[in-house]
Amino acid sequence: MALPDLAKKPVRFIGGHRACAGCGFPITIKIILQAAENPVIVGCATGCMEVTSTIYPYTSWECSFIHSAFENVAATVSGIEAAYTSLKRQGRIDKDITFIAFGGDGGTYDIGLQALSGALERGHKMVYVCYDNQGYMNTGIQRSSATPRGANTTTSPAGKKVPGKQQYPKDLTAIVAAHGIPYAAQSSMSHWNDLYRKAKKAFAADGPAFLNVLSTCRLGWGTAPEDTVDVADGAVQSRLWPLYEIEKGKWKLSLKPRRHYPVEKWMSMQGRFRHLFNPQKNETFIEEIQSQVDAKWEELVRRCSAET
Amino acid sequence: MTESSQTKNLLKDHVIIDKAIEPNAGWRDLPIGAVIPKGGTSRQFTTGDWRTIRPVWSPEKCIHCHRCWLYCPDMCWVSEDKKIQGVDLTNCKGCGICANVCPTKVHAIEMHPEDTKTEHTAGED
């Protein structure tokens, strides 16, 4: 699919929302919704996406939309899907409808994890999209379990002794894949082709599908608005955010960065890691993060090559 | 959306929702139950007010790769028949992503400060 062809389809998420200039998630939603062929019903967990796009009496959605609480978007959308399946069986509805649940990393990694796990286990035919901006950005940048080690947030502040968040982020895509669902993938909004292809596969999957998409938060990450796409790309190139998919239990690597791109370079682009470079560089800490990223990458490559 | 009777009923409410968006609208103008009967009403909320820099597009340099259309978070770039027609500045917040993702060799989009008198080449306004 070429981009000009994609532009011929009507866009289902439009402008006028109150997200920051240069926000990453509208791009993520746009690409995913462009991949959907059928009418869509969108459920949305509390988060930047819901707060900025649905301020009454305005809505940025050109499709059916339901907002639920922070923790239960997966449960809400699975309920809609169950009702739809029942109506379809009774012959009262004949349309094919796609069900999408959107949640941020706060509503997916932390608060909504049990609702998500339940929905995946019950096997509803829905697509859960986590737009991962690595923190609770809506409430003023707090740490989440997706925040990378070393990031400065209001609940993991960088000081003289402690250089930002102490823990490594959890690997949610692998956790979701462990449910044995037909399709789970990790993608980034900087690689639209990859994301579009994965969204297509997720919609076609026979059962629940999950997409974990990295979306820049320029306010929380401390980047310039115009660098949104470049920063997300840097995370992919540095192998901190590898692109891969798990199709029917088969692990497959989507992109192998050609050149060596140190994590340090990606971190130096962002204000939330400034304390690691100023006033003096925290060499040991950065090296530790680099070696963890390398180890995770090698494990992923091993996992993917073992299966093919 | 099909023109079912249900849709026609909703269309009637369009008048109400348009009234509710007016600056001096009161609570009586709002639809009952705080329903938003029409999708995509936020187009009318001019986030373009936030802008301090604006994209200026050169149609003669453009190769119509649509990267600006794709990466615009505010869906400002107008595309018709696989060709970029221009930029609609109503919702443009001036983030500058479009100028940044425009291929380096093409360089068809430049960001200009709002206070300078640059003629912008928008397809439609």
Side-chain angles (χ1 to χ4, degrees), chain A residues 94-270:
Chain A
D94 57 349
K95 262 194 250 174
D96 285 325
I97 299 174
T98 304
F99 300 91
I100 313 175
F102 283 109
D105 59 292
T108 310
Y109 278 69
D110 298 345
I111 306 175
L113 187 60
Q114 69 90 5
L116 172 65
S117 181
L120 297 177
E121 186 268 328
R122 291 190 299 271
H124 297 282
K125 192 175 166 2
M126 60 184 257
V127 178
Y128 193 102
V129 180
C130 168
Y131 68 98
D132 184 355
N133 52 21
Q134 305 189 331
Y136 291 89
M137 303 315 189
N138 171 37
T139 45
I141 309 149
Q142 284 85 29
R143 83 185 270 291
S144 79
S145 55
T147 311
R149 183 171 156 93
N152 175 27
T153 68
T154 53
T155 45
S156 65
K160 278 188 187 132
K161 291 269 157 59
V162 181
K165 193 193 167 190
Q166 288 298 290
Q167 299 81 11
Y168 288 107
K170 73 179 167 203
D171 193 353
L172 184 72
T173 317
I175 295 171
V176 167
H179 288 78
I181 58 169
Y183 191 74
Q186 190 159 296
S187 187
S188 161
M189 55 143 229
S190 57
H191 292 66
W192 74 269
N193 217 330
D194 181 74
L195 178 53
Y196 180 81
R197 192 178 52 81
K198 283 175 180 167
K200 276 259 178 230
K201 275 191 181 177
F203 293 137
D206 186 28
F210 177 82
L211 295 172
N212 200 357
V213 189
L214 187 73
S215 309
T216 313
C217 170
R218 51 147 307 241
L219 192 70
W221 295 16
T223 57
E226 66 267 25
D227 292 337
T228 298
V229 181
D230 295 346
V231 178
D233 182 57
V236 175
Q237 300 299 338
S238 66
R239 300 172 179 188
L240 185 122
W241 188 263
L243 306 184
Y244 60 95
E245 58 188 351
I246 303 121
E247 211 175 347
K248 288 180 187 137
K250 239 184 167 173
W251 289 61
K252 204 181 144 206
L253 209 57
S254 313
L255 182 99
K256 218 170 190 173
R258 279 198 210 106
R259 261 166 289 156
H260 177 64
Y261 187 111
V263 178
E264 184 189 329
K265 195 173 159 191
W266 177 71
M267 285 160 93
S268 63
M269 290 159 93
Q270 303 167 53

Side-chain angles (χ1 to χ4, degrees), chain B residues 51-104:
Chain B
R51 191 172 63 238
T52 56
I53 48 171
R54 81 158 69 137
V56 177
W57 175 61
S58 318
E60 66 280 1
K61 284 189 198 163
C62 186
I63 56 163
H64 304 283
C65 67
H66 280 64
R67 281 179 68 82
C68 53
W69 173 88
L70 183 82
Y71 284 119
C72 176
D74 298 293
M75 328 312 163
C76 294
W77 288 88
V78 184
S79 166
E80 231 169 73
D81 285 338
K82 302 188 189 182
K83 295 264 191 274
I84 294 288
Q85 303 296 320
V87 55
D88 180 356
L89 293 172
T90 320
N91 300 125
C92 174
K93 295 167 186 159
C95 61
I97 291 180
C98 50
N100 206 20
V101 296
C102 190
T104 330

Side-chain angles (χ1 to χ4, degrees), chain A residues 6-179:
Chain A
L6 203 63
K8 282 173 98 176
K9 277 172 77 179
V11 179
R12 288 189 253 201
F13 185 78
I14 63 153
H17 54 79
R18 265 75 122 209
C20 308
C23 181
F25 81 74
I27 304 167
T28 308
I29 308 176
K30 176 163 44 170
I31 299 171
I32 290 169
L33 290 184
Q34 284 313 84
E37 299 293 340
N38 300 331
V40 293
I41 291 179
V42 169
C44 203
T46 304
C48 273
M49 179 186 276
E50 174 265 325
V51 167
T52 56
S53 67
T54 58
I55 300 172
Y56 188 78
Y58 300 102
T59 173
S60 299
W61 300 87
E62 292 270 24
C63 52
S64 305
F65 177 88
I66 184 165
H67 166 233
S68 59
F70 218 139
E71 66 280 9
N72 62 358
V73 63
T76 308
V77 175
S78 60
I80 302 169
E81 194 270 348
Y84 163 78
T85 314
S86 169
L87 287 173
K88 203 165 187 189
R89 198 169 44 234
Q90 294 168 42
R92 287 162 69 184
I93 197 165
D94 57 349
K95 262 194 250 174
D96 285 325
I97 299 174
T98 304
F99 300 91
I100 313 175
F102 283 109
D105 59 292
T108 310
Y109 278 69
D110 298 345
I111 306 175
L113 187 60
Q114 69 90 5
L116 172 65
S117 181
L120 297 177
E121 186 268 328
R122 291 190 299 271
H124 297 282
K125 192 175 166 2
M126 60 184 257
V127 178
Y128 193 102
V129 180
C130 168
Y131 68 98
D132 184 355
N133 52 21
Q134 305 189 331
Y136 291 89
M137 303 315 189
N138 171 37
T139 45
I141 309 149
Q142 284 85 29
R143 83 185 270 291
S144 79
S145 55
T147 311
R149 183 171 156 93
N152 175 27
T153 68
T154 53
T155 45
S156 65
K160 278 188 187 132
K161 291 269 157 59
V162 181
K165 193 193 167 190
Q166 288 298 290
Q167 299 81 11
Y168 288 107
K170 73 179 167 203
D171 193 353
L172 184 72
T173 317
I175 295 171
V176 167
H179 288 78

